[in-house]
Amino acid sequence: MISKKWLYGAGGIALVLSLSACGSDSKPATTADCPQGAITLSVLRAENNGPTDEQMATYKAANPCVSFKVDQVPFGQLASKISVLGPSANPPDVIGYDSPNTQSYASQGLLLPLDKYLPAGWKDDVAKATLDENSWDGQVYSPGEEQDALALYYNKKLTDAAGIKPPTSLDKAWTWEEAQAAFLKCQQGSGNDIKVYGLAPSRLGNGTPGASYRDLLFLRSAGDPTAPEDSTAFKTFWALSRDGKQVDGWLNTPEAVQAATFYQNMFQGPDQVTSKTGLPSALINNKACFDLEVSSNTATLKKAGVDFGVSPMPYFKTPIVHTGAVTVGVTARSKNADAAAAFVVAISTGDELGTWAEKNIRIPVLKSQADKSVILKKAPYNIAVEEIQQWGQPRPPSPQFTQYDQFVTDALRDIAYGKDPKASLDKAVSQIQPLLGQ
Amino acid sequence: MTAVTNHSRGRGRRPMIGWRLLSLVVVLVIVAVFLLPYLWMVSSGLKTQNDIFSDVAPFSWRAFVPVHGTLDNVVRLFTEKSIGRALVNSLIVAVIQVAGSLVVCSLAAYGLTRIKFKGRGVVFALILATFMLPAEALVVPMYSVVADLGLQDSLVAVALPWVASVFGLFLLKQSFEEIPTSLDEAARLDGAGHLRIFWSIILPNVKTALATLCLITFMFSWNAFLWPLIVVQTPEKQVVQVAIAQSVSAGELPDWGMTFAGAAVATVPLIVLFLFLQRFFVRGLATSGLR
Amino acid sequence: MASGGTALPRKAARTRGEGVQPSSRGTGTRARRLGRSSLRHNALPALGFLTPFLLLLLVFQYVPLVVMAKNSLYSFSLFNPDAGKFVGTDNFVRVFTDATALQSMLVTLLFTIGLLILVIPLSFLLAVYLNGKLAARALIRTMIFLPVVTSAVVVATLWTFLLNQSGLINSALGVLGIAPLGFLTDRNEALPALIVMSVWQQIGLAAVLFLGGLQSIPAELQEAAYTDGAGPVSRLRYLTIPLLSRTTLFVVVIMTVFALQAFAPAYIMTGGAPDGTTNLIIFQIYRTAFYLQQPGYASAMAVIVLIFALLVSLVQMRLLRTRWNY
């Protein structure tokens, strides 16, 4: 870009002089204990997500010359904050971001490749879905910390009263048709006067339907990865060509449209089982029987004292769950790259990862650590762990994932609100396709 | 219509029953439409999630009264979400903006109205041109300007772009024009320079306008959303409007009670201010349009 | 501050936007001579007074304007602005061929028109009511002004819950035996719902502005019309409304600028859904810049919005040159 400095001229200087007191600039202080200078790593993260204060405290205890300055935003604001801070003169050193964005950030030069910092044998130990999602152009940009997946939680009091026994192992998982029958059976009320919903409205985002993390699964599970590569069934499963350049014919296949119609009928009509608008704490307040949730929800339910169970994610033809969670990376323009990378690698590998995962009941990305965990082998956590290992797929990786995600979410939301599924998906395709491969 | 009742010659000494009834209906409708939502908001902020739901459907009077009130939401707002800090930040920004506007706008209004100079029309036109620009459309390049000045993520940057308020300038311009220039002439004959005239002659005579400017600027500043959203990066520095809009984290629906309580907290200070100083608000906004 | 009827004729001689002429009082020959000769010498002290204001205006309004105009000619990403490439008018062409952008502009236009159609008559009627001596005027005025002093965020949040499937409005409708409406989830109801919300939010301001205009109509004129035998309706039609033309125009402009700038409803309540029917243009610009990573394209859209807003203001300035002199 052409330098814009000439535009500001005297005016800018005058203002800066009068306001220089308000600026802030920190210089590393050199002390006897830290001959290379005490380093302050600036961290940007989403609320209730990593890197956590505890991780930083543990690291600082082992590396006293490193301290942290944390900026925190609600999850919904994270992406736009990153895009505003990224090109700035002082980007954060470490960012906690949503892993599907890795390719997007990496391809635009926002993230630092971390291959040379990762310990030996890491690539074999890490879950394949994580490696796929966090790599770009042959390099790894984030080691990943945790994985999580949606599962079907249910309110035992309500399901017992309705005489429903959901499956609790992956081999007996319901199909969507079976699941819907169960939702309907458990539901109380109908039409405009539903007192207890079969399925709780999504809690993702602001409670409006469409978030691709959950709702794209409907479309993808109607596909089949074992089908011939040029078949629509194969393409439905992947929802985006493997090179990230084609979406027409991958997102709007006949199978996807059919699945989308089923999805639409869950929100209205005689088979309605869920609400188009949000309903906070539906499962806890006995206002819904089932709820698709991530495993971190377990803690919330336990705290509320709800008698709950966990069942695997339903499917149409092929079971699938989306992996991907908040992960950590180092910005390419960081001024403390080595220190930041060391921190990132430390918290996501080895026993430090295992300890953190066990304590916070998260599923670590490293198989060696997951195997060591005691708590993860027990119900209800084991369901999510097995789902990730057997059914886990990242959301379609692409440098334009953000845009893809935005338009797919919009389309799914429109479908939930009643728009024709084929028209919606075609519209999304027409919006996404021109942006791909740029 | 109104003149009829004022000069009621031969039309009846008092408003007809028809008008009385209409008046009553109007009052009821307005109370229902304008007051009830606020009552609902405030009382829901004082209830648990469950109570909010059960009180609203089916419709009952309990929606507007916190029957089993609890201060839980408000307490959590202040302890978990640091709303107190956000309120302080909003206050700081507002004070900067008000003080800045007072100084900058009154000086500029003086320059525009009391000093005749060549090109005054041009300057006025240039200022007027920016009045119609929707500020929201400019936020992205405004942010890069602020970043280039090294001011990003500061409360000063939240207030500064709005200190040169064209609205404030117009407000003061009108009231400056009310003051006869003969006063200026007399003072100048006594040897007073511009600054002196400004300070001793003009300012004391426009106290009402200045007060109005303070209040209106405070209101705009307190209610701002998009600009603070973009400029402030550290949550500790965030202002209250953004803080309450962001009470949603991933995978977590807004807790209705908390959200209502947050909305109430964000708006009550301004409403209280408004209730006590209505005169200024209303008059300031009303007369600004007449010229 | 509103000096009433006597001040108006004098000021009617001025036209807006052309600077201030000296008042007719207190300008003797001597003063006039002084005034003219020092016109040029006055430039320096004038600049002194105007500089802080103009400087801030320059830095925070004009410079971003220029930056934005320049950005609209490039295609770049916020992560890597230096890697941008010059595309000339491509972005502008795209705005007019992109269905989403076109829909967004249409939606904003409909939003603006809908708001004006509802606000102007309703607030005028309210102002007429408030101008009379009927009961509870002060109370009414306070209540309708509450939404005006409430921030857009709080209004949007409040109405999100009011309009929710199980919200207050649907349950009130239930009392009347009406089935719950989809509001924000129904593509035919979402934009009207936002319009109604915005009317609620702004009607107090418009009513107060009209009230100011009504109160500055000299009572003598009302009397004269009354003695001439004009009934209330024709008084309204031939006297009040024409005399309020300036105020009406001002209200129209204020409401238009407000509607063009609307952001919180789309951002907080709908995200543009359903099917883009509430995708207000400022939200579309914000989304394009930050979520879709195309700030150049977003700038082009913003330039178009600004040009439109300027056209509106120019039309206003032109129309305000016509005055109703007494």
Side-chain angles (χ1 to χ4, degrees):
Chain A
M1 299 288 276
I2 304 168
S3 161
K4 343 183 240 242
K5 299 280 188 277
W6 67 268
L7 283 172
Y8 305 149
I13 295 177
L15 267 174
V16 169
L17 281 177
S18 57
L19 294 160
S20 54
C22 306
S24 63
D25 211 358
S26 59
K27 293 183 177 32
T30 329
T31 68
D33 296 319
C34 298
Q36 286 173 332
I39 299 178
T40 306
L41 292 179
S42 59
V43 175
L44 173 65
R45 70 172 183 212
E47 276 176 7
N48 300 325
N49 282 290
T52 61
D53 293 339
E54 211 181 316
Q55 284 172 316
M56 290 186 264
T58 313
Y59 188 78
K60 187 171 163 61
N63 303 274
C65 296
V66 175
S67 27
F68 297 93
K69 173 176 163 320
V70 177
D71 288 353
Q72 176 170 278
V73 293
F75 188 79
Q77 308 300 326
L78 185 61
S80 52
K81 271 299 143 67
I82 292 179
S83 64
V84 163
L85 290 181
S88 72
N90 284 314
D93 298 303
V94 175
I95 51 173
Y97 68 96
D98 201 15
S99 59
N101 292 319
T102 307
Q103 291 204 355
S104 170
Y105 294 161
S107 62
Q108 294 184 83
L110 185 72
L111 289 174
L112 189 74
L114 296 175
D115 300 74
K116 65 180 186 190
Y117 301 99
L118 292 164
W122 177 87
K123 274 199 183 159
D124 300 315
D125 196 12
V126 73
K128 175 124 197 338
T130 306
L131 183 62
D132 283 346
E133 196 166 43
N134 294 347
S135 306
W136 163 249
D137 210 17
Q139 291 183 295
V140 175
Y141 287 86
S142 168
E145 287 185 286
E146 54 167 321
Q147 287 289 15
D148 208 342
L150 291 172
L152 189 62
Y153 285 70
Y154 56 95
N155 182 320
K156 272 214 183 121
K157 188 170 108 184
L158 293 170
T159 53
D160 285 349
I164 301 172
K165 282 202 76 59
T168 46
S169 61
L170 263 61
D171 51 348
K172 296 203 172 53
W174 274 335
T175 63
W176 272 116
E177 288 87 355
E178 289 168 336
Q180 193 192 44
F183 299 160
L184 274 172
K185 192 164 169 209
C186 186
Q187 185 161 272
Q188 294 172 27
S190 64
N192 286 321
D193 196 25
I194 298 179
K195 300 206 170 22
V196 177
Y197 283 102
L199 179 67
S202 166
R203 285 199 324 155
L204 299 169
N206 64 350
T208 55
S212 64
Y213 181 65
R214 184 190 82 153
D215 296 353
L216 185 56
L217 290 175
F218 285 89
L219 304 190
R220 292 185 74 177
S221 77
D224 184 358
T226 60
E229 280 194 20
D230 55 353
S231 69
T232 53
F234 179 83
K235 292 181 180 175
T236 307
F237 184 78
W238 296 111
L240 180 69
S241 67
R242 308 315 303 283
D243 60 1
K245 294 213 169 76
Q246 263 300 109
V247 70
D248 194 2
W250 293 77
L251 183 67
N252 48 354
T253 63
E255 290 91 342
V257 172
Q258 199 178 13
T261 310
F262 181 95
Y263 170 75
Q264 185 174 69
N265 291 332
M266 290 174 68
F267 290 91
Q268 51 234 311
D271 291 334
Q272 180 185 359
V273 290
T274 188
S275 166
K276 290 181 196 173
T277 55
L279 208 66
S281 315
L283 205 65
I284 296 179
N285 291 332
N286 297 319
K287 291 238 174 348
C289 303
F290 291 85
D291 192 8
L292 291 166
E293 278 294 349
V294 288
S295 50
S296 48
N297 184 45
T298 314
T300 318
L301 291 175
K302 281 200 171 143
K303 197 165 126 187
V306 176
D307 189 14
F308 70 96
V310 182
S311 187
M313 185 79 182
Y315 62 98
F316 283 116
K317 201 163 154 49
T318 315
I320 175 176
V321 290
H322 276 146
T323 56
V326 170
T327 184
V328 278
V330 177
T331 56
R333 286 154 79 149
S334 159
K335 299 192 173 68
N336 303 302
D338 286 337
F343 167 67
V344 162
V345 169
I347 62 171
S348 31
T349 55
D351 284 336
E352 212 176 302
L353 177 69
T355 323
W356 169 84
E358 185 83 5
K359 180 137 183 262
N360 293 288
I361 315 185
R362 304 286 173 100
I363 304 166
V365 293
L366 296 180
K367 295 195 268 272
S368 57
Q369 294 300 328
D371 287 341
K372 282 194 209 166
S373 165
V374 173
I375 198 165
L376 291 179
K377 298 210 169 64
K378 298 206 280 243
Y381 307 104
N382 67 321
I383 299 219
V385 174
E386 286 167 31
E387 281 180 345
I388 292 172
Q389 286 170 354
Q390 297 176 31
W391 299 346
Q393 291 294 335
R395 277 157 280 180
S398 155
Q400 282 81 36
F401 174 75
T402 322
Q403 292 90 318
Y404 175 92
D405 186 39
Q406 181 85 96
F407 291 124
V408 167
T409 301
D410 283 353
L412 290 168
R413 185 189 303 134
D414 288 341
I415 292 173
Y417 286 165
K419 186 172 169 186
D420 174 59
K422 178 141 189 11
S424 284
L425 292 176
D426 285 340
K427 178 177 168 188
V429 163
S430 71
Q431 288 169 316
I432 301 172
Q433 188 64 52
L435 302 173
L436 293 178
Q438 282 180 358
Chain B
M1 266 193 301
T2 55
V4 175
T5 55
N6 282 342
H7 313 274
S8 46
R9 300 171 229 180
R11 293 249 180 184
R13 301 284 144 159
R14 8 171 250 279
M16 299 187 289
I17 299 294
W19 291 130
R20 277 258 167 90
L21 207 60
L22 181 72
S23 177
L24 184 67
V25 169
V26 167
V27 171
L28 284 178
V29 166
I30 292 191
V31 166
V33 169
F34 286 91
L35 197 57
L36 289 185
Y38 284 95
L39 280 181
W40 186 51
M41 181 175 82
V42 171
S43 78
S44 296
L46 297 169
K47 293 184 192 166
T48 63
Q49 191 84 288
N50 248 340
D51 278 351
I52 298 177
F53 275 111
S54 50
D55 287 349
V56 90
F59 190 78
S60 90
W61 61 270
R62 274 192 300 272
F64 307 107
V65 176
V67 175
H68 304 291
T70 163
L71 280 177
D72 211 29
N73 293 324
V74 181
V75 167
R76 273 171 61 202
L77 269 180
F78 279 93
T79 53
E80 285 174 30
K81 303 266 176 190
S82 313
I83 274 285
R85 196 170 46 203
L87 285 169
V88 169
N89 290 335
S90 281
L91 192 63
I92 296 177
V93 169
V95 164
I96 297 177
Q97 202 167 325
V98 166
S101 271
L102 268 180
V103 169
V104 166
C105 293
S106 56
L107 285 173
Y110 182 90
L112 267 187
T113 58
R114 292 341 251 195
I115 310 178
K116 302 178 276 290
F117 62 96
K118 213 164 145 199
R120 183 158 66 171
V122 172
V123 171
F124 190 80
L126 283 176
I127 295 178
L128 185 63
T130 66
F131 186 51
M132 296 305 174
L133 300 180
E136 275 82 351
L138 279 173
V139 283
V140 177
M142 266 173 76
Y143 177 78
S144 60
V145 167
V146 162
D148 281 352
L149 290 173
L151 289 174
Q152 78 273 23
D153 200 30
S154 68
L155 292 178
V156 170
V158 179
L160 200 57
W162 318 109
V163 162
S165 152
V166 180
F167 178 85
L169 180 64
F170 281 178
L171 198 69
L172 291 181
K173 175 173 160 302
Q174 282 164 37
S175 53
F176 279 27
E177 282 162 1
E178 300 286 325
I179 305 174
T181 51
S182 52
L183 292 177
D184 292 42
E185 305 281 341
R188 210 168 297 142
L189 290 175
D190 283 345
H194 278 301
L195 267 179
R196 196 153 168 118
I197 299 179
F198 174 70
W199 185 258
S200 317
I201 312 268
I202 305 293
L203 284 187
N205 280 311
V206 294
K207 291 211 180 87
T208 315
L210 291 177
T212 309
L213 177 64
C214 281
L215 283 170
I216 306 251
T217 308
F218 186 86
M219 178 179 93
F220 284 143
S221 172
W222 187 266
N223 286 342
F225 175 64
L226 182 57
W227 178 244
L229 176 70
I230 290 190
V231 150
V232 175
Q233 288 130 33
T234 331
E236 285 86 31
K237 295 188 193 155
Q238 197 46 278
V239 301
V240 71
Q241 302 298 340
V242 180
I244 60 156
Q246 292 179 337
S247 54
V248 188
S249 34
E252 216 177 284
L253 258 186
D255 178 334
W256 283 31
M258 285 268 281
T259 312
F260 275 128
V265 165
T267 207
V268 157
L270 202 52
I271 289 190
V272 166
L273 200 67
F274 164 67
L275 287 176
F276 280 111
L277 297 167
Q278 260 182 79
R279 226 172 16 109
F280 291 103
F281 272 105
V282 171
R283 206 183 335 164
L285 288 170
T287 54
S288 61
L290 289 183
R291 305 303 143 104
Chain C
M1 288 195 312
S3 27
T6 46
L8 280 168
R10 183 158 40 101
K11 288 187 170 93
R14 283 206 312 275
T15 46
R16 203 170 182 185
E18 284 183 350
V20 176
Q21 308 297 324
S23 68
S24 53
R25 280 187 279 165
T27 310
T29 325
R30 179 168 176 231
R32 215 179 288 134
R33 258 210 304 269
L34 268 175
R36 271 207 210 109
S37 69
S38 57
L39 254 181
R40 249 171 280 143
H41 300 154
N42 271 339
L44 203 56
L47 270 181
F49 278 89
L50 284 165
T51 299
F53 192 93
L54 290 177
L55 196 63
L56 285 171
L57 212 66
L58 181 74
V59 171
F60 290 109
Q61 298 279 321
Y62 279 105
V63 167
L65 206 59
V66 171
V67 169
M68 188 173 79
K70 194 188 43 152
N71 283 348
S72 66
L73 301 173
Y74 282 79
S75 167
F76 63 102
S77 132
L78 283 176
F79 293 134
N80 225 341
D82 302 319
K85 56 180 185 138
F86 182 81
V87 292
T89 52
D90 274 5
N91 284 328
F92 290 94
V93 170
R94 203 171 141 205
V95 173
F96 290 107
T97 52
D98 176 9
T100 313
L102 287 174
Q103 183 194 29
S104 178
M105 291 192 280
L106 180 67
V107 162
T108 312
L109 202 62
L110 287 175
F111 179 74
T112 309
I113 293 175
L115 181 66
L116 287 174
I117 291 180
L118 286 179
V119 158
I120 305 289
L122 286 176
S123 59
F124 175 72
L125 289 175
L126 259 178
V128 169
Y129 175 87
L130 289 172
N131 203 22
K133 295 246 188 294
L134 298 176
R137 273 185 322 150
L139 187 68
I140 302 279
R141 202 188 56 194
T142 308
M143 282 192 287
I144 61 173
F145 220 75
L146 281 179
V148 177
V149 299
T150 310
S151 75
V153 172
V154 172
V155 171
T157 308
L158 177 62
W159 277 76
T160 307
F161 294 124
L162 280 175
L163 293 172
N164 188 287
Q165 204 82 311
S166 0
L168 193 63
I169 295 186
N170 268 331
S171 86
L173 287 178
V175 168
L176 299 171
I178 304 176
L181 293 172
F183 292 125
L184 297 178
T185 63
D186 184 321
R187 58 172 307 145
N188 296 320
E189 295 171 19
L191 189 62
L194 291 191
I195 293 176
V196 168
M197 176 184 84
S198 303
V199 170
W200 182 83
Q201 191 181 6
Q202 295 293 319
I203 197 173
L205 177 62
V208 160
L209 288 170
F210 273 124
L211 186 63
L214 279 176
Q215 285 174 344
S216 68
I217 295 178
E220 306 95 60
L221 290 175
Q222 299 265 18
E223 293 273 354
Y226 186 78
T227 12
D228 281 350
V233 175
S234 51
R235 253 207 313 275
L236 206 66
R237 209 171 132 205
Y238 294 111
L239 180 70
T240 315
I241 291 184
L243 280 176
L244 282 181
S245 58
R246 285 191 60 225
T247 316
T248 312
L249 264 162
F250 187 68
V251 173
V252 167
V253 167
I254 294 258
M255 294 295 140
T256 308
V257 172
F258 166 78
L260 288 178
Q261 289 185 3
F263 174 75
Y267 180 78
I268 292 185
M269 298 171 87
T270 61
D275 202 14
T277 52
T278 59
N279 191 16
L280 297 167
I281 190 71
I282 298 292
F283 177 71
Q284 171 68 5
I285 292 173
Y286 176 84
R287 202 160 83 131
T288 308
F290 289 108
Y291 294 161
L292 301 176
Q293 286 301 317
Q294 295 164 58
Y297 183 43
S299 299
M301 284 191 272
V303 165
I304 292 177
V305 172
L306 287 176
I307 292 178
F308 184 75
L310 270 172
L311 281 176
V312 168
S313 80
L314 281 176
V315 166
Q316 180 225 2
M317 279 170 62
R318 192 116 296 239
L319 285 172
L320 277 181
R321 284 168 199 272
T322 66
R323 292 299 176 92
W324 290 91
N325 293 321
Y326 301 146

